[in-house]
Structure formats: structure tokens, C-alpha cells
Amino acid sequence: MSDLMTTRAALQETMTFLGAIASGIEEAIGESANSITYLAGKRLGMQLSANIRKTDDVEEALEAVHQVLLDNNCLWHFEPFKAHDRPALVQTTDSGDEDLQLVFRDCMIRQSLFRFGHHQKGSLCTMMFGFFSGALLNVMGVDSTLEILHAGENACLKRLVIHRKKGEDQ
């Protein structure tokens, strides 16, 4: 077997294992699985971004998170998305938070779920929310929320909300 085939077989085995874990933990403990994977993802995001450069700019923060993923050999591609009916990429909400949309095209979680035959929007997707929350907490020093707007076969659309502290400059 060639090196490529060996690597691919190992990756597919890992993806199946990951999907099986998600399915099993959700069946065993129900909704609590999301809390566990969120915390695991947040811890991972904080650990991998411990020495990251700080910024208050959302777009710079996303570039920093992308670099953290690359530095840790994690090919998890995402990009900001501006729908035609949005006046700006980053919008400020009535409560002073910042809101933007992200597209995840090549997602290892989605591929793992499809490989195992498990639904999206479950515990592994919540782990992604936790990862972003932990990394953005290190980068920007604020909490954030990553909400799934659409989970598709080829890409997912998510809403990222940066929760600004009251009285904080934007």
C-alpha cells in the first residue's frame, strides 16, 4: 500500500472513530454531550492559542484563529461571508455585540459525521463552537457564540457573535 493510501486509510479510520464517539456519547447521556464537547473544544482552543497575538478587531482575530489551526496541522478552512442583503461584513447589534457570518467549506467534523452516518448539529459541531470560543477569548478577551444557521453536505453557514463588554470600545 502506498504512503498516500496508508495515510488516507488511517484518516478514514479516525473519522469513523470520531463519528462513533459522537453518536455513542449523545445516545448515552443525551443533551449533556453538548456541554462536555463544548468545554473540551473551549479548552483545546485556549491551549492552542495560548501565545497568540491579541487584537480587538474581529477580522484580525479570525485570521489569528486560522493561523492557530494551520500551526497545529489542522486544515479546517473557514471564511467570512457577506450575504448580498447585509450592509457590512461585521454588524453591530442593538446590544453592542458584533455579528458576522462564516462559511465552513472543508470541515473535518462534517466529513466524520457523514463517514459514520451521524447527523450534524450535534456534539461534534458544539465542540467547534467551544474551540472558537476558547481561541477568541484568548485573542480578544471576550466571549463569543458560534451558531449554526445552515448545516449542508458541502458547507455550513454559521453566525459568530462577539459579545462585547458594556462600555468597551468597538
Side-chain angles (χ1 to χ4, degrees), residues 84-131:
H84 67 89
D85 58 344
R86 286 177 63 100
L89 180 65
V90 179
Q91 295 182 333
T92 303
T93 67
D94 293 340
S95 61
D97 295 338
E98 292 179 307
D99 166 295
L100 74 152
Q101 294 178 341
L102 301 174
V103 173
F104 292 79
R105 296 186 194 283
D106 186 16
C107 177
M108 61 188 156
I109 289 176
R110 182 177 50 252
Q111 297 307 319
S112 295
L113 295 173
F114 284 164
R115 175 99 181 136
F116 185 74
H118 192 62
H119 63 87
Q120 293 174 273
K121 296 185 176 181
S123 59
L124 287 183
C125 294
T126 304
M127 180 179 262
M128 175 190 284
F129 166 26
F131 177 85

Side-chain angles (χ1 to χ4, degrees), residues 74-91:
C74 193
L75 302 176
W76 202 359
H77 185 73
F78 65 92
E79 60 194 73
F81 177 76
K82 181 184 168 299
H84 67 89
D85 58 344
R86 286 177 63 100
L89 180 65
V90 179
Q91 295 182 333

Side-chain angles (χ1 to χ4, degrees), residues 13-68:
E13 184 178 358
T14 303
M15 291 168 66
T16 301
F17 181 73
L18 191 59
I21 287 176
S23 177
I25 192 172
E26 290 170 16
E27 184 177 329
I29 63 173
E31 291 291 320
S32 299
N34 289 333
S35 300
I36 293 169
T37 56
Y38 171 80
L39 290 174
K42 186 171 183 176
R43 180 173 293 160
L44 179 65
M46 291 185 79
Q47 287 175 347
L48 296 182
S49 65
N51 299 317
I52 199 167
R53 71 182 188 283
K54 311 291 185 217
T55 181
D56 288 332
D57 183 85
V58 176
E59 293 180 66
E60 288 179 20
L62 290 173
E63 289 174 20
V65 171
H66 184 253
Q67 190 60 49
V68 164

